[in-house]
Amino acid sequence: MSVLPILTLGDPRLRLRGEPVESFGKLLHHLIDDLTDTMRHAPGVGLAAPQLGEALDVAVVEVGDRLLELVNPRIVRAEGDDRDLEGCLSIPGFVAYVTRREHVWVVAQNRLGRKYKVAGSGLLGRALQHELDHLQGKLYIDYLASPDELIPVGRGGDEDEDADAVDAELERRGIDPERAKAVSRG
Ligand code: NI
């Protein structure tokens, strides 16, 4: 189990579709453990295999104290719309408003191949949709009409010289800087 480097925007492997998983053995278990360790280290609320350079239909999502291992996940039902700030561990330093479905129901398998169903709304629903998009080679910026919609939030830490300018820009847009930094990332 390891914390691995997360691929960032521009790496073509982020655009690969995850191949269906057919073998539920040690290799899959190692990948799920690496995804979990790397997600928690970031920290983030989700991480998909393509972000570690593995074109497989595998992701993890952790909201609250519930860790979901998502193997071959599919959205089977969706309702409503919800617009909120969203970020991605593969696109550090930015967030944007993205409209997602408000409630989703996902069918997936766990590391042993056992099928289960999970329903999510709010942060969990958004994280599920974000990670499943990664498995299609899709990033949240694909939903934006223009790069101008990207909102810089800085990379955190006191070493960020532009932190005051970033906060001023967020406030100009009516966004609480603390909330922008705490937004869901996966
Ligand atoms: Ni992401």
Side-chain angles (χ1 to χ4, degrees), residues 129-143:
Q129 292 169 80
H130 181 109
E131 299 315 323
L132 267 66
D133 270 357
H134 272 299
L135 302 179
Q136 303 292 318
K138 198 164 184 179
L139 303 171
Y140 81 84
I141 54 171
D142 300 346
Y143 295 106

Side-chain angles (χ1 to χ4, degrees), residues 21 23-34 54 56 58:
V21 172
S23 168
F24 294 82
K26 228 177 219 177
L27 282 177
L28 174 67
H29 299 174
H30 280 162
L31 174 59
I32 291 173
D33 291 339
D34 287 346
E54 298 285 345
L56 282 170
V58 183

Side-chain angles (χ1 to χ4, degrees), residues 57-155:
D57 223 355
V58 183
V60 293
V61 164
E62 188 168 50
V63 172
D65 56 4
R66 188 174 182 197
L67 175 67
L68 295 170
E69 302 174 349
L70 300 154
V71 182
N72 300 325
R74 297 286 176 268
I75 291 174
V76 293
R77 188 176 154 207
E79 279 179 7
D81 290 313
D82 174 54
R83 188 163 174 81
D84 206 347
L85 285 172
E86 183 169 328
C88 179
L89 293 172
S90 293
I91 309 171
F94 295 93
V95 296
Y97 281 99
V98 180
T99 301
R100 298 277 189 186
R101 304 309 301 271
E102 188 179 6
H103 303 278
V104 290
W105 287 259
V106 170
V107 169
Q109 287 165 282
N110 70 7
R111 67 172 62 206
L112 303 175
R114 190 186 303 260
K115 260 193 182 170
Y116 68 97
K117 194 169 180 179
V118 58
S121 57
L123 181 59
L124 175 58
R126 183 166 292 273
L128 286 167
Q129 292 169 80
H130 181 109
E131 299 315 323
L132 267 66
D133 270 357
H134 272 299
L135 302 179
Q136 303 292 318
K138 198 164 184 179
L139 303 171
Y140 81 84
I141 54 171
D142 300 346
Y143 295 106
L144 306 183
S146 151
D148 295 343
E149 292 180 35
L150 282 171
I151 303 163
V153 290
R155 285 160 199 254

